[in-house]
Amino acid sequence: MEKVDVIIPTYKPDQKFLDLMEKLAHQTVPVQKVIIMNTEQKYFDRLTYGTSFSKKYKNVVVKHLSKREFDHGRTRNSGVRCSDAPVFVMMTQDAVPADEFLIEELLRGLQQENVAAAYGRQLAEDDCSETEKFTRQFNYPEEGAVKTKEDIERLGIKTFFCSNVCAAYKRELFDALGGFIRHTIFNEDMIYAAGAVQAGYGIAYQPGAKVYHSHDYSGSEQFHRNFDMGVSQADHPEIFAAVSSESEGIRLVKLTLAHLKEQKLWLQIPGFIVKSGCKYMGYLLGKNYKKLPRKFVVKCSAKSNREYWNKG
């Protein structure tokens, strides 16, 4: 059985992170090491102080860094360097495995021919909105797939989709392809996946690998997140210029509206339209951020990503 490490960047971890750790401890394929790349030690200490965390999870390695040091790509690469396993799994602190088969299913995805990475299915939590539930189902359907260069014309930007909320990687190939991009505001997972696809490898969507992960973002939060997404695409025209994101976004909006009407959830429609407008406005501004004043750009970026603008 192959050794598997799990790498989790954390910042202000909470109960969901503890739930994640408990689920990882009871997988059918044991996790060799859990490598935690934690931003700001005081928040991690606040969560674990007075608990048996370190005694309970003896396979945990915690690396602390400052907020200024954090970068979506570089920090994850640092975590990979702490691993000697042939396979590593990237997760986020708020992704809770749905069962004990998460690692097993991700490994099954990687075992398919010529696959560079395998990502799991994100399920909506019970208490989230209907629009969020529908969005998760849209982006993470029940059917699996392996996406390759031949799918670009048919799938467009979805060919490169791969989420580090829950994704497994072959270490040897990861190193050969140069790892995650060192400095990026967002999308380090998609940028890596795009490079792998262009190099002739496949990206597997493995729906049997399931985590609970969903968010009911406000219109303002949607604006900031999609601004940063637009920035990442503007910074990497070699990947994103030839494939459109807008058409897939419009399709999701139309299908969600139809779903809300079908469910007779009329009161949710105005809020959904407003949030969709916030997402699109943020995305358009982000795509054109180089034409905007620097101070305005920083304000448009998500708070968690504003340190990005102080780095070269």
Side-chain angles (χ1 to χ4, degrees):
M1 187 179 295
E2 284 190 305
K3 292 180 182 177
V4 181
D5 288 342
V6 176
I7 300 166
I8 311 171
T10 59
Y11 177 58
K12 297 184 178 180
D14 56 16
Q15 183 60 46
K16 280 188 180 178
F17 168 71
L18 297 179
D19 294 343
L20 160 60
M21 291 298 300
E22 184 64 20
K23 289 285 190 178
L24 285 181
H26 297 91
Q27 292 292 301
T28 55
V29 174
V31 175
Q32 175 186 240
K33 275 193 300 188
V34 180
I35 300 162
I36 299 169
M37 302 300 294
N38 178 69
T39 301
E40 301 295 345
Q41 183 172 352
K42 61 183 178 181
Y43 298 118
F44 193 87
D45 290 348
R46 186 180 300 168
L47 179 69
T48 59
Y49 179 77
T51 72
S52 58
F53 184 88
S54 58
K55 291 182 180 178
K56 187 175 184 180
Y57 304 114
K58 296 185 182 297
N59 64 335
V60 169
V61 175
V62 183
K63 301 288 184 180
H64 295 292
L65 58 148
S66 69
K67 195 172 182 182
R68 191 172 185 84
E69 291 174 297
F70 176 82
D71 183 273
H72 285 284
R74 183 172 61 245
T75 298
R76 285 176 169 85
N77 284 336
S78 296
V80 174
R81 287 195 293 272
C82 295
S83 169
D84 62 357
V87 172
F88 64 88
V89 174
M90 284 290 167
M91 296 190 72
T92 55
Q93 67 185 42
D94 56 352
V96 181
D99 54 38
E100 68 271 31
F101 304 109
L102 176 69
I103 304 299
E104 180 181 333
E105 287 290 331
L106 287 173
L107 286 178
R108 183 172 288 118
L110 281 187
Q111 286 165 2
Q112 297 176 85
E113 186 178 358
N114 217 31
V115 164
Y119 67 99
R121 185 182 185 193
Q122 297 181 32
L123 304 173
E125 297 178 67
D126 291 338
D127 60 351
C128 73
S129 68
E130 188 64 25
T131 55
E132 177 66 2
K133 289 177 182 177
F134 187 82
T135 298
R136 292 291 152 181
Q137 182 64 36
F138 177 85
N139 288 325
Y140 303 94
E142 295 178 5
E143 303 79 25
V146 175
K147 300 170 293 183
T148 66
K149 193 184 295 186
E150 286 69 36
D151 295 306
I152 293 175
E153 186 175 345
R154 179 175 61 90
L155 295 177
I157 198 167
K158 274 205 161 183
T159 310
F160 306 145
F161 186 75
C162 180
S163 176
N164 270 344
V165 164
C166 173
Y169 297 84
K170 294 175 180 175
R171 175 63 184 275
E172 185 176 1
L173 183 54
F174 181 83
D175 290 342
L177 291 173
F180 296 121
I181 186 168
R182 186 175 181 274
H183 182 51
T184 182
I185 194 169
F186 207 56
N187 272 346
E188 81 291 333
D189 39 19
M190 281 187 69
I191 293 167
Y192 175 83
V197 168
Q198 291 169 349
Y201 297 97
I203 302 298
Y205 168 54
Q206 193 70 9
K210 296 173 289 189
V211 293
Y212 285 103
H213 180 260
S214 55
H215 294 283
D216 280 318
Y217 289 120
S218 66
S220 174
E221 289 170 324
Q222 295 282 20
F223 173 87
H224 293 305
R225 283 180 57 81
N226 280 269
F227 179 85
D228 291 345
M229 183 183 296
V231 168
S232 74
Q233 293 192 16
D235 283 346
H236 297 282
E238 75 282 2
I239 294 170
F240 298 106
V243 289
S244 172
S245 299
E246 287 90 337
S247 58
E248 192 68 8
I250 292 169
R251 189 165 82 92
L252 173 58
V253 169
K254 288 180 177 179
L255 289 173
T256 305
L257 283 172
H259 176 72
L260 292 175
K261 290 176 183 177
E262 182 183 334
Q263 299 296 314
K264 300 190 183 332
L265 298 172
W266 310 107
L267 295 179
Q268 294 189 27
I269 291 176
F272 172 70
I273 292 173
V274 169
K275 287 184 181 181
S276 297
C278 290
K279 289 171 71 174
Y280 190 55
M281 180 61 70
Y283 174 74
L284 282 182
L285 286 172
K287 287 273 283 188
N288 294 280
Y289 85 93
K290 293 177 183 178
K291 302 174 185 176
L292 303 174
R294 173 84 172 194
K295 286 186 178 180
F296 180 71
V297 166
V298 175
K299 286 184 178 180
C300 287
S301 191
K303 284 185 179 180
S304 59
N305 286 333
R306 288 181 185 172
E307 286 292 337
Y308 170 84
W309 302 103
N310 296 323
K311 304 168 189 172

